Amino acid sequence: MKKLVVVALMIGSVGWADEVLAQKPPLLPEKDVAALSNELSGETAKRNLEGIARFHRQRGSRGFHEAAELVAERLRAYGLSDVAILQFPADGKIFYGTQRSRPAWDAEFAELWEIKEVKEAKGVKENDASANWQPARRIASYGAEPIVLAEDSETADVTTELIDVGEGTKEGDYPGKDVKGKIVLVGAQPGAVQELAVGKFRAAGIVSYAQNQKTAWWGEDENLIRWGHLETFSANKTFAFMVSLKTARGLRERLAHEEKIRLHAVVKAGQHAGNYEVVTATIPGADPKLKEEEIAFSCHLDHQRPGANDNASGCATILEVARTLQKLISQEEKTSAEQPPHLLVNQGRLSRPARTIRFIFPPEIEGTMALLNAKPEFAKRIKAVAHMDMVGGGPETKAVFHVTRGPMSLPSFVHDVAWAFAEFVNEESYKFAATGKAEYPFVAPEGSKEPLRAEYSAFTMGSDHDMYQDSSFGIPAIYLNDWPDRYIHTNFDTAANIDPTKLKRAAFIGAASGYFLANFSVYDVPPTDGAIITGRLLRTAPLMQRLPETTPDDFGVLPVNTIRYEHGILNSIDAFAPGMGHELSTDWAKTIDDLVGIRASGPEARGSGKVIFRRISQPRGPLAVFGYNYFAEHAKVAGVAMPKLLSYEGLWGAGEEYAYEVLNFANGKRNAQEIRDAVSAEYGPVPLEIVEEYLRALEKIAVVEQVK
Ligand SMILES: [Zn+2]
């Protein structure tokens, strides 16, 4: 049976497929695609990226504010409407949904010096021991490279010895080492050793050579300095400097040879009450009613300097989308006003879309949480998001470009729309690379000529798209992202590695998708159905590969939940063209029924598996956000032990992902068994008891309730 079901998955409402095949480029009239292709500039995007990358853009900091002013100034210069820098108080106490606001953090000065004893210093009195110590070598300077000071460092002026404690994350790293009042040299992130090194063993500060995220190139380049963090809400305030592996190896070797190393650390920095700042602007829609609905472009404007790919690239790219759409739309209106309609040349112009297009530049996750919670009207108006986080990585970064789908808890056709445009860029850019000729090569004059080779990927977490797609907001978000990037979160994430051609291509995929959705009406349903069929075929291939991996008990769970998901994708069209999605979905159900004689129903729930859970409307947002874990904090207070689900390793996903989706699936209709099945289809089989235990824990902290 299972094979037949999978075959049925591949069949769509084929009646419309002919029109789809005849269309090239997809979904939009060719003149619109040509207008976008001609106007979008990878160079303009890169110039703006270079501007943003000059600022050290920590949440609530002066550097972030300067970047926000730059973006707002550009938006005004480009002629956008409603340009504003929204401010949301961040003082460490105010909550935005599940996000406890983190106070702003700024640094004025920070230097780390090695000092050496000078035996015969001139003019030094014999009894003045400290004056014999002179600065010998500057190890780190915030002024030169702000990345060297870990975020949330506090003011200090310390002269003391350096002690090597290995990773520094476990008690076993410290025996026999007198670290009290000293600076510890650690391999882990400062925040991960803070409680132990500073809290328990009373170290004065930290020097860390933590490496960036794991990829094949991890630890290979010993010159990289990684961006570091302390725990924002730790009671053990301290400071931490970040150094390269090369610097750390030099220090460790000398310490291993019993040499004493004395350091002088000076830090002027600290947390203070401030604001999350979110830049926003619009292109108002033309339809009197539909203009109340919005299609949003999102990025995150924060991160360390230079932070070129992560994420000046996403912000500069949506800024380029803003410039391009605004220009093409206003040109159309200028021309229409001046000339009689029969003289209109339609090239290089776009008509104003029915829905409003919005642009959002927040600090990552916490800024989006502040916006969506403090201004619920935004969450209400936004129908779909195109979120860009790392979209410019050139060959040096080793990046693969992804068009990432949403979670299975929120089926939506918008991902197939984005993929239709991405596939078009894949084909055209490959044709150009292979033959030197293509109608739409999407090549920037200063950029590369490599083909894009974008991948259509299953949902991955880790940026603002998680906030939008959380079930308390339920807004589908197209996620365009590079991975891996061997320079992520290091001082080498520079503008030099950014490829203007890639920026132009990401801008096109985003702009075309956003503009198409902003205009979406019943007339767009047939070609969209075609895009969904393509997407379904691509989703079905991995499903067929995964089937043999699953357990006999879960024989039917995978296909049944996949069919439900595909129904959800068709139904999601209703939000844009009421009734149309439902019609497609009903037709497709009939097709499946005719072919294989089954309906998409899962195994019967038994016993406690029958209990239905519903998410409570507040607080909104995922339970683990930025620098704050709502679940962990509240579970501690309620005396709830850590549920096993949080450390569960599934076939295709792990704890955090299961937890995110179990909560999202708890919609007041599914019982525990159905939630378990849905999440098993997405990330691999998980025992019902483990899912139940987590749901009970959520119930105890008043995040879900039982439906009686
Ligand atoms: Zn990012």
Side-chain angles (χ1 to χ4, degrees), residues 547-700:
L547 269 178
E549 293 180 48
T550 196
T551 58
D553 280 353
D554 279 304
F555 210 60
V557 164
L558 210 58
V560 163
N561 281 277
T562 306
I563 289 172
R564 284 183 179 155
Y565 176 62
E566 294 295 335
H567 271 299
I569 289 175
L570 292 169
N571 282 323
S572 72
I573 292 176
D574 280 354
F576 286 76
M580 298 299 286
H582 183 74
E583 209 170 287
L584 285 180
S585 166
T586 311
D587 282 353
W588 190 56
K590 280 182 200 140
T591 317
I592 287 190
D593 203 27
D594 289 348
L595 272 170
V596 294
I598 63 143
R599 293 260 169 213
S601 55
E604 196 76 16
R606 286 181 303 273
S608 58
K610 284 185 182 164
V611 179
I612 296 174
F613 288 93
R614 169 173 55 212
R615 184 171 189 168
I616 297 168
S617 63
Q618 298 286 351
R620 293 183 206 275
L623 296 185
V625 281
F626 226 75
Y628 183 73
N629 189 318
Y630 185 94
F631 180 85
E633 289 296 313
H634 288 74
K636 200 159 62 184
V637 174
V640 176
M642 263 309 138
K644 289 186 218 47
L645 186 73
L646 293 173
S647 53
Y648 188 76
E649 291 283 334
L651 283 174
W652 319 301
E656 191 198 357
E657 294 164 312
Y658 279 98
Y660 177 78
E661 281 293 77
V662 165
L663 175 58
N664 287 339
F665 279 122
N667 64 351
K669 291 184 189 118
R670 293 185 185 90
N671 60 38
Q673 177 73 48
E674 287 165 327
I675 293 172
R676 178 266 162 208
D677 289 349
V679 83
S680 296
E682 188 166 12
Y683 294 126
V686 53
L688 176 62
E689 312 85 75
I690 288 186
V691 171
E692 279 188 307
E693 181 201 29
Y694 185 63
L695 285 164
R696 294 288 176 196
L698 294 179
E699 192 182 15
K700 286 203 188 91

Side-chain angles (χ1 to χ4, degrees), residues 300 303 310-311 364 389-390 463 489:
H300 70 79
H303 272 18
D310 189 11
N311 185 30
E364 189 172 15
D389 188 356
M390 303 169 69
S463 191
H489 292 178

Side-chain angles (χ1 to χ4, degrees), residues 156-484:
D157 188 339
V158 185
T159 303
T160 187
E161 247 180 75
L162 180 70
I163 309 284
D164 184 0
V165 294
E167 277 296 292
T169 49
K170 41 187 199 304
E171 300 246 354
D173 290 334
Y174 294 85
K177 288 171 186 168
D178 175 24
V179 305
K180 191 174 171 197
K182 314 273 171 61
I183 294 175
V184 287
L185 179 63
V186 302
Q189 266 286 338
V193 305
Q194 185 171 8
E195 299 312 306
L196 216 48
V198 178
K200 181 153 188 195
F201 297 111
R202 319 307 301 166
I206 298 163
V207 172
S208 161
Y209 51 96
Q211 298 296 290
N212 57 343
Q213 284 91 323
K214 273 216 171 147
T215 66
W217 295 268
W218 187 82
E220 209 169 71
D221 183 343
E222 62 171 10
N223 297 302
L224 302 183
I225 302 172
R226 195 208 187 276
W227 180 29
H229 309 253
L230 287 153
E231 284 296 319
T232 302
F233 297 113
S234 171
N236 302 298
K237 297 288 182 219
T238 187
F239 67 87
F241 282 93
M242 306 302 295
V243 298
S244 69
L245 204 49
K246 186 179 195 169
T247 300
R249 280 176 179 154
L251 294 169
R252 294 191 78 189
E253 190 160 326
R254 289 167 58 198
L255 291 170
H257 287 92
E258 312 280 303
E259 192 183 328
K260 293 228 183 295
I261 298 175
R262 260 180 103 71
L263 301 177
H264 182 200
V266 181
V267 178
K268 285 184 192 141
Q271 298 178 345
H272 56 89
N275 291 296
Y276 289 129
E277 294 188 319
V278 179
V279 190
T280 182
T282 68
I283 298 173
D287 185 278
K289 228 176 103 200
L290 287 177
K291 73 176 182 196
E292 297 303 317
E293 298 182 357
E294 296 182 350
I295 305 301
F297 285 87
S298 155
C299 62
H300 70 79
L301 186 56
D302 63 326
H303 272 18
Q304 85 291 343
R305 188 177 99 191
N309 202 25
D310 189 11
N311 185 30
S313 70
C315 293
T317 303
I318 72 165
L319 194 52
E320 179 58 9
V321 172
R323 184 192 70 78
T324 296
L325 290 178
Q326 175 66 33
K327 184 178 173 194
L328 294 175
I329 290 166
S330 62
Q331 264 178 2
E332 160 83 11
E333 284 165 1
K334 232 176 23 210
T335 324
S336 311
E338 284 163 8
Q339 294 181 20
H342 67 277
L343 287 179
L344 280 183
V345 182
N346 244 346
Q347 288 301 318
R349 326 215 184 303
L350 290 176
S351 58
R352 186 170 291 273
R355 296 178 182 84
T356 295
I357 296 179
R358 180 174 290 279
F359 298 87
I360 303 172
F361 306 77
E364 189 172 15
I365 295 183
E366 43 200 332
T368 298
M369 287 291 284
L371 176 74
L372 296 180
N373 279 287
K375 292 195 171 289
E377 67 272 22
F378 275 70
K380 233 172 103 183
R381 282 190 190 145
I382 298 171
K383 307 285 286 183
V385 173
H387 179 62
M388 302 195 195
D389 188 356
M390 303 169 69
V391 294
E396 271 298 296
T397 65
K398 312 293 183 191
V400 173
F401 186 76
H402 300 270
V403 176
T404 300
R405 293 190 289 273
M408 283 180 80
S409 61
L410 186 64
S412 172
F413 73 97
V414 304
H415 308 290
D416 289 339
V417 167
W419 179 249
F421 290 113
E423 199 183 30
F424 175 65
V425 178
N426 271 357
E427 282 168 7
E428 289 289 301
S429 65
Y430 181 77
K431 202 194 294 171
F432 181 69
T435 68
K437 215 168 154 261
E439 212 154 335
Y440 297 99
F442 297 104
V443 164
E446 293 177 14
S448 79
K449 297 186 178 72
E450 274 81 357
L452 180 65
R453 317 288 281 169
E455 292 203 352
Y456 197 20
S457 307
F459 178 61
T460 52
M461 295 182 70
S463 191
D464 302 77
H465 64 300
D466 301 354
M467 309 303 113
Y468 288 103
Q469 297 183 117
D470 176 87
S471 63
S472 53
F473 302 113
I475 302 167
I478 294 162
Y479 177 34
L480 305 182
N481 62 300
D482 276 345
W483 193 261

